[in-house]
Amino acid sequence: MTRLLAADVADMEDIAGQAVAIARRIGADHAVASASAGAGVRVTARAGATDTALRDAGQGLTVTVYRGTRGGTASTAALDRHAIAEAVDEAYAMAALVGEDPDALPPFLADMAVDTPLPPLDAPSGVDIARLRTMALEGDALIRAASGPGMTLETVSSGVSSSEGVHALATSAGFCRGQTYSNHGRWLVALARDADGAVNDSADSSDRRFDRLIPTQLLADRAVARAAGQLGARAVPGQRAPVLFEPRAAIAVIGSLVNALSGNPQLRGATFLPDALGKAAAAPHLDMYENPYEPFGPASGGFDREGIAGRCRTIIRAGTVEGLFLGTRSARRLGMASTGNADGPWNLALTSRAERGSFADLCRRMGRGLIVRRLNGGAADPVTGNWTYAVAGAWVEGGSPVHAVTDVTVGGNLRDMLTGIVAVGDDVERHGAFSTGSILIDVMQIGGAP
């Protein structure tokens, strides 16, 4: 199989190692270097023709050099010996200009992922750009074929991509390790139009294994249904009512929880969940589990950017916080150990011990209320927990959606939202690091027509 990527792990380890060696020779007390390379192909189509076809590649080196406890960082896209030495010199010079920060020093070798397992992440597609073009055109044709009486469907974008990458980390403590990986994607954006207006919506799939992407037909059906389902949207009166978040919208709620449990907010107290360990943060039927080692997981890895391994662990157990997301600096300042989350969370799954059900089951359980299908803009205050977003979705009466909604906002406080989750659906979707089903919250403030 012909690979897109020319570089391999040994190449990147050698480059990162060179940078560290040069830093030590010029007098650095510590040094950390990260080298990476990537290559990919991407094709999009619309209106029966290829819209874009792109093959790209990139590479880079980032090096942090320490003079005592002062660290300076520089980067370069050129990886020859002269460019590496120049980047190291610049980082060394920068270190003299910053303040001392002993907590930011790199971790000790004994704490690093020297021999922890590396989950498999590399599955090159072997698909050439001609085949990607055929797939993109197929998606475009499926969307346009869904047009019917009183409604036309147009393709905003139908795309397919395949990429490969490699990264390596080296430190003056003696750590030097790398890994190859792949990422593949397929996406469709449909525009539905009738006599009263037009609405667009999308569906997408990503995986490290190309053959695990959601089939084009299913994605087209989703994109069309989502776009067409927003036609004829009506306002609803402002009120307090239950809210059902589809999985892709529920991710925003989980993301706010993860941010609240991360190192810097916990360190500064700039979170609606200060000193969270051991405290209730969500409904007692909820659990959240982190797994860095899932084979081909989208957020899997053997170590973070500091060389620290994550571990399989429970973050939320029965609604109570058992874990935080810490890098080395924030962990030291909190008097704790890094959890290997300098890059953010590994694969996270939100599950429920309560009765689950399909999306239709949750609608029936809700009875009357709002379905949130997409967030259109808004904000979450990480300190107070106040959460307000404009949304697209549908109104439910008698346990069934009756019409799409427009000019609607949804608001609440994240503390109340998390403890007010009454059910998690079995319609589980994965978006990036997060995996969840639909989330039903008992009551939120819905802003609509007077």
Side-chain angles (χ1 to χ4, degrees):
M1 179 188 300
T2 302
R3 296 196 60 128
L4 297 167
L5 187 66
D8 60 20
V9 169
D11 295 330
M12 295 298 106
E13 288 179 343
D14 179 63
I15 289 165
Q18 287 183 48
V20 169
I22 293 170
R24 294 292 278 170
R25 283 200 300 270
I26 65 174
D29 295 291
H30 309 279
V32 177
S34 175
S36 63
V41 290
R42 168 190 174 105
V43 181
T44 63
R46 61 183 301 275
T50 304
D51 195 27
T52 61
L54 174 68
R55 188 192 191 287
D56 61 1
Q59 60 184 14
L61 169 72
T62 298
V63 58
T64 300
V65 175
Y66 295 85
R67 302 170 71 157
T69 62
R70 304 171 188 265
T73 300
S75 61
T76 176
L79 301 182
D80 60 89
R81 291 189 65 84
H82 175 74
I84 295 171
E86 191 173 59
V88 172
D89 286 340
E90 290 175 354
Y92 189 70
M94 295 285 284
L97 305 178
V98 301
E100 295 187 1
D101 189 355
D103 293 320
L105 290 173
F108 299 111
L109 185 62
D111 298 324
M112 302 180 77
V114 175
D115 55 6
T116 53
L118 297 177
L121 304 177
D122 190 27
S125 68
V127 178
D128 62 26
I129 200 162
R131 178 60 180 147
L132 294 180
R133 176 179 180 272
T134 299
M135 294 176 179
L137 288 169
E138 177 191 9
D140 167 54
L142 288 169
I143 289 175
R144 292 184 292 111
S147 296
M151 180 183 69
T152 60
L153 270 299
E154 303 169 19
T155 302
V156 178
S157 178
S158 170
V160 191
S161 66
S162 178
S163 66
E164 301 165 16
V166 59
H167 68 91
L169 177 71
T171 78
S172 54
F175 182 88
C176 188
R177 207 170 184 198
Q179 186 166 20
T180 55
Y181 57 90
S182 57
N183 288 301
H184 313 293
R186 180 179 288 153
W187 63 95
L188 294 168
V189 184
L191 179 75
R193 190 188 305 274
D194 65 8
D196 297 320
V199 184
N200 68 59
D201 212 326
S202 62
D204 61 81
S205 175
S206 61
D207 204 289
R208 296 193 185 276
R209 297 157 296 184
F210 196 86
D211 60 1
R212 297 298 183 92
L213 294 175
I214 295 173
T216 307
Q217 180 69 67
L218 181 53
L219 283 182
D221 291 344
R222 287 183 183 178
V224 167
R226 288 169 174 173
Q230 291 301 304
L231 292 172
R234 289 184 267 161
V236 295
Q239 59 194 286
R240 291 179 62 78
V243 175
L244 176 58
F245 290 82
E246 287 190 353
R248 63 173 177 162
I251 295 301
V253 179
I254 298 176
S256 294
L257 172 59
V258 170
N259 181 69
L261 299 179
S262 296
N264 285 333
Q266 286 291 315
L267 178 63
R268 300 192 308 267
T271 168
F272 66 94
L273 293 173
D275 303 316
L277 284 175
K279 296 181 180 178
H285 61 90
L286 294 177
D287 299 314
M288 182 183 287
Y289 188 75
E290 184 179 38
N291 181 5
Y293 300 111
E294 178 188 344
F296 302 103
S300 293
F303 50 89
D304 65 8
R305 69 170 180 262
E306 297 175 336
I308 305 295
R311 60 186 178 87
C312 297
R313 59 181 181 139
T314 299
I315 305 298
I316 302 285
R317 188 190 304 274
T320 298
V321 178
E322 290 194 353
L324 303 176
F325 302 98
L326 305 178
T328 297
R329 183 174 182 270
S330 59
R332 286 171 174 164
R333 293 197 168 187
L334 288 166
M336 301 178 185
S338 171
T339 58
N341 294 111
D343 301 307
W346 305 104
N347 303 295
L348 282 178
L350 181 71
T351 60
S352 171
R353 305 179 184 198
E355 182 181 354
R356 299 172 70 90
S358 66
F359 184 76
D361 292 333
L362 295 191
C363 281
R364 287 189 287 270
R365 181 170 176 177
M366 178 168 64
R368 179 177 183 274
L370 178 69
I371 295 171
V372 173
R373 293 194 169 123
R374 186 176 66 191
L375 305 182
N376 290 333
D381 187 318
V383 179
T384 66
N386 292 332
W387 192 96
T388 305
Y389 276 83
V391 303
W395 188 251
V396 173
E397 293 281 357
S400 297
V402 291
H403 64 80
V405 297
T406 186
D407 299 326
V408 170
T409 61
V410 174
N413 186 276
L414 283 161
R415 282 182 175 273
D416 299 329
M417 293 165 64
L418 292 165
T419 56
I421 295 174
V422 296
V424 178
D426 56 19
D427 53 339
V428 176
E429 293 182 12
R430 166 172 268 167
H431 296 271
F434 305 133
S435 176
T436 182
S438 296
I439 289 176
L440 176 59
I441 296 178
D442 55 359
V443 64
M444 294 185 69
Q445 182 64 45
I446 297 169

